[in-house]
Amino acid sequence: MLTITFSADRPADARPLALPVAKDEAVDAHVPAAIADVAKAAAAKFKGEAGSIVDLHAAIDGNVRHILLIGTGADLAAEKAGSALVAKLLTTETSLVVDVTGVERDQRAAFAAKLAQAAMLRSWRYDIYRTKLPEKQKPSLAGVEIVVGDALAAAEEAFAPLKAVAEGAAFTRVLVTEPANILYPESFVERCQELKQLGIEIEVLDEPAMRKLGMGALLGVSQGSARPPRLLCLKWDGTSGKADPVAFVGKGVTFDTGGISLKPGPGMEDMKWDMGGAGAVAGAMKALALRKAKAHVIGVCGLVENMPDGNAQRPGDVVTSASGQTIEVLNTDAEGRLVLCDAIWWVQQAYHPKTIIDLATLTGAMIVSLGHEHGGIFANDDTLADQIVAAGKTVGEKLWRMPMGEAYDKMIDSPIADMKNIGPREAGSITAAQFIARFVDEGVKWAHLDIAGMVWASKPGTFWDKGATSYGVRLLDQFVKDVLEK
């Protein structure tokens, strides 16, 4: 990702220079007087809409420079400005100067920090397997210098936690992007070993340990794979033991064929990102540790591969979960909830959190319901749901509250076990949430985030190019800021 620096004064060199312009503001108010006429002529139809750009070349600071007028809209949309600049220059320039001294002093530090974070996130690429990428397609933009005038100290202070979150998001994106022959339960755990250097404690349960604990639901998913499962626990306590832990639990199916209930071939390659929930948990934990969050958080990743070999779980099998509840497995492609139920049960027994948030690319039905615009949130506590939705709104990772209730719960009753792992065709995302809810202890606040449509993007967004979005990392970090660090 980009290297971001801040400076008090604009350097007099030949690097491209970006100048923010708010919606309907006069262009000449933001450019040096010497090039005002050139700028007005070039920007005749420019209205300062967020993310819009006008290019011109003019003599300034003793050099002929590439000048970019970047629109910030009516509400100083720093993120869209930073993203648009990087998207435009990523493969054509090596460095960029952004002069934000035209922004009001009391808003300048926050504006500069948000622009910088968006620039970092939008610049992320993963080209390590592309050995014949043409030079003109290779990222060349290495650094962005942001000129903030007398707000230098404030801008650097505001950016520090945002940089930590961007680095956490990048960690998630690597995990989600890696192919399944590279990233599987054991190698996922190995990738997370670097987090120890940040002060995160790591606990790992292997297959014998999980079998001893009776995790028949999780182990049933993994039994068809040559890759052994893992339960990964990441512990960060920035309160020195003064606060009770909150648990983040992620579904980590590193590849999902559907098992015996085999998925259709077209598009199956996408199932390498069926561990997006676990990836988000790992990235969020890195972000919290990097910024030394004053919170006590336990991150749990249930890591399995769902394959259809001769030992694979069959439709109709009955498994016993760690909670002792039995499950009739009617569809082996409804595997994520089997992983989550044992992971959630385990963290309750081991660490007794009063609040649990799980994240999972759980159901295709969620995409049918909400497309790729919102993740779905299910919760047993209205306040917790509101807090998570508000955090998502703040960072642009949107959620939509979905219903739960006894009528939906009855849909997963089984005639031969305590429950079945799927209900009827209708309300598929809701019955999945009702399944997980049966493993949450009484009195524990719980929210389930079905993010099936959000972890991978087929088109660029403000914070990402096509591919892994790191959805959930910024949301969880904002929740910690809003709720746990108050």
Side-chain angles (χ1 to χ4, degrees), residues 180-181 220-227 251-275 304-313 315 331-336 361:
N181 62 320
V221 177
S222 72
Q223 72 187 42
S225 174
R227 305 287 193 185
K251 170 190 172 184
V253 180
T254 57
F255 194 78
D256 181 22
T257 65
I260 297 297
S261 305
L262 192 67
K263 293 178 181 291
M268 193 190 290
E269 68 277 4
D270 289 344
M271 288 299 96
K272 70 177 186 176
W273 48 253
D274 206 21
M275 37 60 65
V304 301
E305 188 178 63
N306 188 20
M307 298 291 283
D309 84 347
N311 191 48
Q313 184 167 252
N331 189 319
T332 65
D333 194 25
E335 85 299 331
T361 52

Side-chain angles (χ1 to χ4, degrees), residues 71-154:
T72 62
D75 55 354
L76 290 180
E79 291 96 341
K80 288 187 177 180
S83 173
L85 287 169
V86 167
K88 183 176 181 63
L89 303 179
L90 185 62
T91 60
T92 60
E93 301 288 351
T94 58
S95 184
L96 171 68
V97 176
V98 185
D99 189 339
V100 303
T101 54
V103 176
E104 292 293 333
R105 174 65 174 78
D106 61 342
Q107 301 178 73
R108 195 182 305 155
F111 179 88
K114 290 177 181 178
L115 184 150
Q117 186 195 43
M120 282 187 70
L121 288 168
R122 186 60 179 81
S123 72
W124 186 87
R125 288 264 298 263
Y126 203 60
D127 294 328
I128 66 170
Y129 301 118
R130 304 179 73 181
T131 63
K132 296 183 179 181
L133 192 65
E135 284 298 322
K136 65 180 181 181
Q137 294 180 20
K138 292 180 180 179
S140 57
L141 188 64
V144 175
E145 180 178 349
I146 304 176
V147 183
V148 294
D150 60 356
L152 180 58

Side-chain angles (χ1 to χ4, degrees), residues 408-421:
Y408 297 111
D409 194 50
K410 289 180 179 179
M411 292 178 173
I412 57 170
D413 286 341
S414 166
I416 68 165
D418 294 326
M419 70 197 84
K420 52 192 178 183
N421 75 326

Side-chain angles (χ1 to χ4, degrees), residues 370-450:
L370 300 176
H372 300 277
E373 300 303 317
H374 291 77
I377 178 171
F378 305 79
N380 66 4
D381 184 86
D382 291 342
T383 299
L384 177 62
D386 290 344
Q387 289 168 336
I388 298 171
V389 170
K393 186 176 181 180
T394 297
V395 299
E397 295 189 345
K398 298 178 290 184
L399 290 164
W400 191 266
R401 180 85 182 268
M402 301 290 286
M404 298 184 71
E406 185 178 356
Y408 297 111
D409 194 50
K410 289 180 179 179
M411 292 178 173
I412 57 170
D413 286 341
S414 166
I416 68 165
D418 294 326
M419 70 197 84
K420 52 192 178 183
N421 75 326
I422 58 167
R425 182 177 180 184
E426 59 268 19
S429 297
I430 302 173
T431 54
Q434 295 287 170
F435 179 96
I436 299 167
R438 294 191 181 197
F439 298 85
V440 177
D441 286 345
E442 186 176 353
V444 173
K445 297 179 180 179
W446 161 76
H448 161 59
L449 278 55
D450 190 335

Side-chain angles (χ1 to χ4, degrees), residues 212-368:
K212 186 175 181 180
L213 290 167
M215 294 187 180
L218 185 153
L219 293 174
V221 177
S222 72
Q223 72 187 42
S225 174
R227 305 287 193 185
R230 292 290 183 267
L231 190 76
L232 171 66
C233 180
L234 307 168
K235 294 173 274 188
W236 170 258
D237 187 0
T239 71
S240 301
K242 296 177 182 177
D244 292 331
V246 167
F248 298 156
V249 181
K251 170 190 172 184
V253 180
T254 57
F255 194 78
D256 181 22
T257 65
I260 297 297
S261 305
L262 192 67
K263 293 178 181 291
M268 193 190 290
E269 68 277 4
D270 289 344
M271 288 299 96
K272 70 177 186 176
W273 48 253
D274 206 21
M275 37 60 65
V281 169
M285 296 301 293
K286 180 173 183 175
L288 296 177
L290 280 170
R291 69 174 184 83
K292 306 298 182 188
K294 293 179 173 59
H296 188 184
V297 181
I298 307 294
V300 178
C301 302
L303 303 169
V304 301
E305 188 178 63
N306 188 20
M307 298 291 283
D309 84 347
N311 191 48
Q313 184 167 252
R314 295 158 294 268
D317 284 1
V318 174
V319 296
T320 302
S321 69
S323 71
Q325 297 179 87
T326 57
I327 304 160
E328 183 185 11
V329 180
L330 296 186
N331 189 319
T332 65
D333 194 25
E335 85 299 331
R337 65 204 71 180
L338 300 175
V339 174
L340 286 173
C341 73
D342 276 348
I344 287 172
W345 183 258
W346 178 81
V347 78
Q348 290 175 117
Q349 307 313 302
Y351 294 100
H352 310 289
K354 298 297 190 292
T355 300
I356 298 173
I357 302 171
D358 78 71
L359 300 91
T361 52
L362 206 67
T363 65
M366 197 78 265
I367 302 175
V368 174

